[in-house]
Amino acid sequence: MQFASIEQARTFLAQNPDIEMIELFILDANGVPRGKLLHREELMAVYESGRPLPSTILGLTLNGDDVENSGLVWDVGDIDCRAYPLEDSLVRLPWRQIPTAAVQVSMHPSEGMPATIADPRHLLVKVIDALKAEGYHPVMACELEFYLLDQKRDHQGRPQPALDSDGGRPRGTQVYGLRELEQIEPFLADLYSACKAQGIPARTAISEYAPGQVEITLEHGDALLAMDQAVRYKRLVKGVAHKHGMQACFMAKPFDHLAGTGMHMHVSLADAQGNNLYASDDKAGTPLLRQSVAGMLKHLLDSLLLFCPNANSYRRFQANSYAPLAPTWGVDNRTVSMRVPGGPANSRHIEHRICGADANPYLAAAAILASVHSGIRQQLDPGAPVEGNGYAQAKELLPTEWLASLKALEASEWAREAFGEAFLGVYLAVKRAEYRQFMAEVGEQDWRWYLTQA
């Protein structure tokens, strides 16, 4: 684990004399940024000797509740664990009223114990290091979809698409619509400007398959750096949207009648010189690519909870919705789970289409790369690629239920070996606590279905 040098903090403060506050954050297993708001004069000490954070900060539910059997609460007295800044993570937050910067931290391998075992970025580093030890350097990129919603609910108290710049509200589905992008131009202008300022390589913008749904692609690169950028990008999108009176929503299925939001993960392997090891004139790729696909397919169920971590995640899986339902692969085919896009030979890679936009990028990437590594080590064969409608040809469907994926991860010997007992112990404790909380809550759907009929 490489942390930032003190010189980075000195240089930043010298170049940004107006900065008053520093938002220090760490990403928990649910992908929620948690931390503290510091004053400018506190920053140097963070770079010199780290910042103590309670062990419980990496063992919380999505709603911020302690999970008593995580091993990070009473067993260790909620001990302070030291976290240090990540390289090049100190950036301005241009949407804040008070001049504010943010710095991302991660637990120190030894000083951060016991919380280090639950730090999702550490897990990804572990998986990447195992691949690099055998000469494989993973390259990745994220495609994140999101909805732009109005901060005000509709007359029924439900979320609704944000107003266009002309004051209207988008209603119909205009996938790839240019007018739809033009209507959010003020937001996009600030978003691209903020991405440039933070060094996030945001590229193509697309109007997606529902009113107010947008996708902006991020450029591929070193896998760890790409996931760092994805994490910061999500925070940036939310911040810029809020500045424009909107709410950026990365929920997997915010509306029952509209498209879900996914996080497509693009992956390839390079050698130490950066040459693409998947490169091939054959669109189905090299033997290494096919072994990688086979590993992804074999371990898909075992790692599904890391791709689809919440109850709502499974509402996204519907037939003919471009959200894949089965362990299938194909060449330039969007009806399968693992797609090998077309294009020049040196651009050959795999597009993993399972993850919801609510997934933690670090954990999703760790599961994908661990599956790839397993497929290569065992020299697995994915079988023939699917041609035509992958939904119609699926022989086996993924479970579309939260508890089933939780149990699959819990029972997986492969996951225990790939991720370690310590990490899984904390993560599964958190997810089981969330499952119990979710199932115990009585709400509108219960009343609508059962109040008069049961």
Side-chain angles (χ1 to χ4, degrees), residues 26-138:
I26 190 169
L27 205 75
D28 73 6
N30 276 308
V32 177
R34 302 187 186 276
K36 301 180 177 183
L37 189 62
L38 311 180
H39 287 270
R40 177 188 179 94
E41 56 269 22
E42 297 178 87
L43 181 64
M44 290 304 299
V46 177
Y47 278 75
E48 290 167 355
S49 55
R51 183 78 184 195
L53 296 172
S55 56
T56 49
I57 200 169
L58 290 180
L60 301 172
T61 67
L62 192 65
N63 292 321
D65 299 318
D66 282 340
V67 178
E68 295 190 1
N69 63 340
S70 68
L72 298 178
V73 190
W74 311 125
D75 309 48
V76 295
D78 198 9
I79 189 173
D80 272 343
C81 307
R82 298 200 85 82
Y84 284 78
L86 298 177
E87 200 161 357
D88 299 323
S89 71
L90 181 57
V91 292
R92 293 185 70 100
L93 302 180
W95 60 88
R96 300 292 286 269
Q97 290 184 359
I98 299 172
T100 303
V103 62
Q104 186 180 354
V105 298
S106 185
M107 288 296 174
H108 189 277
S110 56
E111 297 174 31
M113 291 295 287
T116 300
I117 63 173
D119 189 329
R121 193 174 187 273
H122 275 271
L123 181 63
L124 178 55
V125 169
K126 172 187 172 183
V127 173
I128 290 174
D129 285 349
L131 278 164
K132 285 184 175 179
E134 296 182 17
Y136 304 116
H137 296 253

Side-chain angles (χ1 to χ4, degrees), residues 288-343:
L288 190 71
L289 181 148
R290 291 192 289 273
Q291 290 168 6
S292 301
V293 169
M296 289 181 181
L297 296 177
K298 179 178 180 180
H299 302 298
L300 184 52
L301 176 57
D302 289 0
S303 48
L304 190 59
L305 187 65
L306 301 175
F307 304 144
C308 305
N310 305 309
N312 177 263
S313 307
Y314 298 86
R315 300 191 189 280
R316 176 172 154 260
F317 293 98
Q318 298 177 8
N320 304 319
S321 65
Y322 292 107
L325 288 163
T328 52
W329 80 289
V331 178
D332 215 3
N333 186 334
R334 287 185 171 85
T335 67
V336 297
S337 298
M338 311 301 166
R339 171 178 173 253
V340 180

Side-chain angles (χ1 to χ4, degrees), residues 78-379:
D78 198 9
I79 189 173
D80 272 343
C81 307
R82 298 200 85 82
Y84 284 78
L86 298 177
E87 200 161 357
D88 299 323
S89 71
L90 181 57
V91 292
R92 293 185 70 100
L93 302 180
W95 60 88
R96 300 292 286 269
Q97 290 184 359
I98 299 172
T100 303
V103 62
Q104 186 180 354
V105 298
S106 185
M107 288 296 174
H108 189 277
S110 56
E111 297 174 31
M113 291 295 287
T116 300
I117 63 173
D119 189 329
R121 193 174 187 273
H122 275 271
L123 181 63
L124 178 55
V125 169
K126 172 187 172 183
V127 173
I128 290 174
D129 285 349
L131 278 164
K132 285 184 175 179
E134 296 182 17
Y136 304 116
H137 296 253
V139 175
M140 296 191 74
C142 269
E143 284 181 359
L144 272 161
E145 299 168 345
F146 59 92
Y147 275 90
L148 286 174
L149 305 178
D150 200 317
Q151 288 182 353
K152 296 180 180 179
R153 301 292 179 91
D154 67 13
H155 66 283
Q156 294 180 305
R158 297 176 179 177
Q160 58 183 337
L163 293 172
D164 287 335
S165 59
D166 64 5
R169 200 176 300 282
R171 296 294 181 189
T173 297
Q174 290 293 346
V175 64
Y176 301 118
L178 296 178
R179 179 188 177 278
E180 283 62 33
L181 296 178
E182 184 180 334
Q183 288 295 315
I184 58 170
E185 186 175 23
F187 163 78
L188 289 177
D190 279 356
L191 179 61
Y192 277 117
S193 175
C195 284
K196 184 177 181 180
Q198 292 194 4
I200 296 174
R203 296 295 181 257
T204 306
I206 301 169
S207 174
E208 272 291 344
Y209 211 75
Q213 191 183 39
V214 182
E215 176 189 274
I216 297 177
T217 60
L218 301 180
E219 196 171 86
H220 70 278
D222 170 83
L224 182 60
L225 176 60
M227 296 307 109
D228 284 340
Q229 291 169 343
V231 165
R232 295 164 201 165
Y233 169 77
K234 287 184 74 172
R235 297 193 67 240
L236 191 154
V237 170
K238 290 181 178 182
V240 174
H242 186 266
K243 178 184 175 183
H244 284 264
M246 300 183 289
Q247 178 185 5
C249 173
F250 290 90
M251 186 176 174
K253 188 71 172 176
F255 303 101
D256 56 6
H257 61 294
L258 296 176
T261 48
M263 179 174 70
H264 296 168
M265 304 283 270
H266 296 254
V267 59
S268 61
L269 296 177
D271 61 20
Q273 289 73 44
N275 300 304
N276 185 2
L277 297 175
Y278 289 170
S280 173
D281 289 321
D282 182 352
K283 288 187 177 181
T286 61
L288 190 71
L289 181 148
R290 291 192 289 273
Q291 290 168 6
S292 301
V293 169
M296 289 181 181
L297 296 177
K298 179 178 180 180
H299 302 298
L300 184 52
L301 176 57
D302 289 0
S303 48
L304 190 59
L305 187 65
L306 301 175
F307 304 144
C308 305
N310 305 309
N312 177 263
S313 307
Y314 298 86
R315 300 191 189 280
R316 176 172 154 260
F317 293 98
Q318 298 177 8
N320 304 319
S321 65
Y322 292 107
L325 288 163
T328 52
W329 80 289
V331 178
D332 215 3
N333 186 334
R334 287 185 171 85
T335 67
V336 297
S337 298
M338 311 301 166
R339 171 178 173 253
V340 180
N346 62 0
S347 71
R348 200 71 64 230
H349 67 279
I350 305 163
E351 180 188 24
H352 183 283
R353 298 172 57 82
I354 295 290
C355 301
D358 55 343
N360 181 325
Y362 292 134
L363 297 186
I368 290 169
L369 294 177
S371 300
V372 164
H373 201 176
S374 175
I376 293 170
R377 281 180 164 176
Q378 299 179 63
Q379 297 187 341

